[in-house]
Amino acid sequence: MTNLEICDALFADRPKLQIRARAMIPRMAKQFKKERKFPAWKWAEYTHQTSRNRYLISFCAPTLAQADNPIIDYIAFMEEDHQKIVIQWGCWPYRKFGSMEVIMMRAISYYCPHFFIRYRERVWKNLDISYNELLCRYFSRNKVNIPIEMNEVIQRNYKEYGEAAAVSFQEPDGVCFIRHWCEGDEFSIGTENCDAIAVVYYMTIVTNSMMSELQNKAIGKEGRRYLIDYYKRLYEDAKKDTIFRRLTEMNQR
């Protein structure tokens, strides 16, 4: 299957996943209310009846007050060379050059086994928890990432890995070194027959404490630059939208 076909198959399974998760919330809430420490995590393995795709449904209660309304994540599994690959899928915002319109495009992320070995070792100091709980912790804690443009200060030999390694992700738990590329026709985004998809392969994660002061400064600089550019674009789009609406109103008078 292509990356696009895998992503579409996972999206097709989501309604059944959501039904299953909602049905389990009362039982999970009872378990959360017995916990003494928060955040707390619960989970359930699930195999879709039709597709036979395998999933982990993750429940996270950041506080006791959220026991009845936990954060829910859906994590997919696939086998490759006798190894379990973790998959996340969803949509990313995309804006065509020169356009104010933001369009959502499909995205799929693969996590190699090495990634979670390093995540357990570097973030949780080899804490004795199950693999499923490790996944629950990662996905509930790292919902926001900031794209970081790579340079030789952040990683000296990053160019050896080609254009796919030109970006990393800064997340709450550390910096994720990735391979990223897009497949399909960019001009089809937003159309009924869109075949474009963003693909990310997560290689490893490094905590801030593992990096030098120069590396952390370079990451902080790139992160701020991205956020400044991001909010600048939002501001410019808002101005353009305001001007457009004013002109439209004037023409309608």
Side-chain angles (χ1 to χ4, degrees), residues 69-220:
N69 188 30
I71 298 167
I72 300 175
D73 288 293
Y74 305 109
I75 303 157
F77 298 115
M78 65 177 287
E79 296 289 335
E80 184 176 278
D81 297 329
H82 304 292
Q83 291 186 315
K84 182 182 283 188
I85 305 296
V86 174
I87 308 174
Q88 274 262 293
W89 72 102
C91 291
W92 283 1
Y94 173 86
R95 188 178 66 170
K96 292 183 179 180
F97 182 76
S99 171
M100 290 188 294
E101 183 182 7
V102 175
I103 306 170
M104 301 308 289
M105 70 176 295
R106 285 166 288 192
I108 190 165
S109 300
Y110 300 96
Y111 295 78
C112 67
H114 174 82
F115 181 89
F116 286 107
I117 291 173
R118 291 292 178 253
Y119 181 65
R120 182 192 293 274
E121 172 189 299
R122 294 169 176 173
V123 176
W124 297 104
K125 308 303 180 186
N126 289 319
L127 182 66
D128 185 19
I129 56 176
S130 70
Y131 183 66
N132 283 349
E133 182 171 340
L134 187 73
L135 298 182
C136 294
R137 290 188 179 210
Y138 173 78
F139 287 108
S140 66
R141 288 166 56 92
N142 296 282
K143 292 192 172 296
V144 177
N145 57 48
I146 300 173
I148 301 296
E149 189 172 332
M150 294 293 287
N151 58 47
E152 293 180 349
V153 177
I154 297 173
Q155 188 181 39
R156 187 176 64 254
N157 61 342
Y158 81 97
K159 290 183 179 179
E160 295 178 9
Y161 302 103
E163 292 184 5
V167 174
S168 62
F169 285 156
Q170 184 180 22
E171 298 184 340
D173 279 341
V175 176
C176 299
F177 292 106
I178 65 171
R179 304 291 181 264
H180 169 252
W181 65 92
C182 291
E183 297 176 352
D185 181 8
E186 177 184 346
F187 293 100
S188 72
I189 298 175
T191 67
E192 183 178 354
N193 298 316
C194 175
D195 68 349
I197 184 170
V199 183
V200 181
Y201 200 90
Y202 282 74
M203 306 299 293
T204 193
I205 185 169
V206 178
T207 61
N208 292 338
S209 62
M210 294 175 60
M211 293 182 282
S212 68
E213 184 178 354
L214 283 177
Q215 285 176 303
N216 281 317
K217 284 184 177 179
I219 290 167

Side-chain angles (χ1 to χ4, degrees), residues 218-234:
I219 290 167
K221 180 180 178 181
E222 290 300 321
R224 287 190 297 273
R225 186 167 70 85
Y226 172 82
L227 291 174
I228 289 170
D229 288 345
Y230 174 77
Y231 286 109
K232 182 180 178 181
R233 290 196 301 272
L234 288 181

